């Protein structure tokens, strides 16, 4: 793994990300940048905060818990807003609940029900699989409205939708992003979380309101070794 960047480097890279957003026709003041810290050690958190980031995203329960605990131990004067953006196992919801500000990967009824039980009123995005790929997280497009209804009915705060572009880098992400944005509007939601390091321009052009950026801010990650979610 490459060394951690300095706060100054991350600040410069964040400015470059905002410049990419603007160059793609987006308003950097209205499109949130979520810093994705997965794959980096807990020391990345103060670096990210020093660089001006407040919203940080993690994919794995154990990593989020380790970083949230380390950060709290370092002083609670600068709270992080943690976003959970990875595949979520139902049995992790309880442990994560005290730390997560926005659940971005709610994609099935059992998660809605568990969240309503363990984190009443929690804020969430429904993750959409807009590419039809198998083995990929996300609720199918035609099941999103019912899942949103179920979450609202359970007292949860559904703020929008989240999606991940196609796994196949040769496939155009635009149609999937456009479909998710249209659904956000049709359902009267506000947040449209889409776009990562490699496809943020397309996501911005298709109406993203939040891009989730790891590599372009923090550098390459160590390959993930299976340690359990
Ligand atoms: C890893 C990840 C990101 C960030 O990816 P980069 O390509 O490093 O910017 C964003 N969203 C999700 C869901 C991810 O898993």
């Amino acid at each position: 793994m490459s060394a951690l960047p300095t706060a100054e480097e991350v600040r410069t890279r964040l400015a470059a990300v905002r410049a990419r957003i603007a160059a793609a026709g987006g308003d950097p003041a209205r499109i949130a940048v979520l810093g994705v810290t997965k794959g980096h050690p807990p020391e990345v958190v103060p670096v990210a905060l020093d660089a001006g980031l407040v919203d940080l995203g993690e994919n794995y329960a154990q990593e989020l818990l380790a970083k949230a605990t380390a950060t709290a131990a370092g002083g609670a004067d600068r709270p992080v807003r943690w976003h959970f953006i990875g595949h979520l196992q139902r049995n992790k919801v309880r442990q994560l609940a005290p730390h997560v500000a926005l659940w971005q990967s709610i994609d099935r009824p059992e998660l809605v029900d568990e969240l309503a039980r363990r984190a009443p009123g929690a804020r969430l995005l429904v993750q959409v699989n807009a590419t039809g790929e198998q083995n990929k997280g996300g609720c199918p497009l035609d099941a999103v409205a019912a899942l949103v209804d179920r979450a609202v009915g359970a007292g949860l705060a559904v703020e929008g939708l989240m999606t991940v572009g196609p796994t196949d880098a040769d496939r155009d992400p635009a149609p999937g992003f456009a479909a998710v944005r249209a659904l956000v509007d049709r359902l009267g939601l506000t947040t449209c979380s889409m776009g990562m390091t490699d496809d943020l321009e397309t996501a911005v052009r298709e109406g993203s309101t939040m891009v989730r950026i790891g590599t372009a801010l923090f550098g390459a990650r160590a390959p993930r070794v299976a340690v359990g979610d």
Side-chain angles (χ1 to χ4, degrees):
M1 179 171 31
S2 45
L4 269 187
T6 65
E8 207 42 54
E9 285 167 331
V10 175
R11 193 187 298 276
T12 303
R13 293 173 186 174
L14 180 57
V17 165
R18 295 210 165 105
R20 284 176 64 184
I21 291 171
D27 177 355
R30 304 188 62 168
I31 297 178
V33 177
L34 175 69
V36 177
T37 46
K38 70 169 177 217
H40 297 285
E43 294 73 37
V44 74
V45 176
V47 171
L49 295 174
D50 286 345
L53 289 158
V54 180
D55 291 275
L56 300 180
E58 284 285 337
N59 282 57
Y60 303 102
Q62 293 315 325
E63 260 194 85
L64 189 151
L65 292 169
K67 287 182 182 123
T69 308
T71 306
D77 54 323
R78 294 187 304 172
V80 177
R81 282 198 297 257
W82 289 108
H83 296 228
F84 194 82
I85 63 171
H87 176 74
L88 181 58
Q89 292 177 301
R90 189 173 68 97
N91 65 359
K92 300 297 185 205
V93 169
R94 185 178 56 84
Q95 271 180 297
L96 287 168
H99 304 287
V100 174
L102 183 63
W103 303 80
Q104 294 211 13
S105 52
I106 302 303
D107 63 358
R108 54 197 193 276
E110 67 160 10
L111 288 180
V112 164
D113 298 350
E114 181 70 359
L115 208 54
R117 189 175 308 132
R118 305 291 187 183
R123 300 166 53 219
L124 69 91
L125 308 181
V126 167
Q127 183 178 351
V128 185
N129 179 344
T131 58
E133 292 164 290
Q134 310 224 320
N135 301 321
K136 179 175 179 174
C139 176
L141 276 164
D142 62 6
V144 171
L147 194 59
V148 168
D149 280 351
R150 187 184 186 103
V152 171
L156 297 166
V158 182
E159 299 190 347
L161 305 180
M162 179 273 239
T163 199
V164 176
T167 309
D168 177 356
D170 292 334
R171 200 170 144 188
D172 181 5
F177 289 161
V180 171
R181 176 65 214 214
L183 201 47
V184 164
D185 293 339
R186 185 160 72 75
L187 297 174
L189 301 171
T190 48
T191 302
C192 188
S193 170
M194 55 192 198
M196 307 178 12
T197 292
D198 289 337
D199 57 16
L200 87 81
E201 281 83 0
T202 308
V204 166
R205 282 193 294 269
E206 298 300 336
S208 173
T209 68
M210 184 189 297
V211 293
R212 307 178 308 269
I213 308 294
T215 311
L217 291 174
F218 305 112
R221 294 180 282 272
R224 173 159 162 83
V225 239
V227 289
D229 288 344

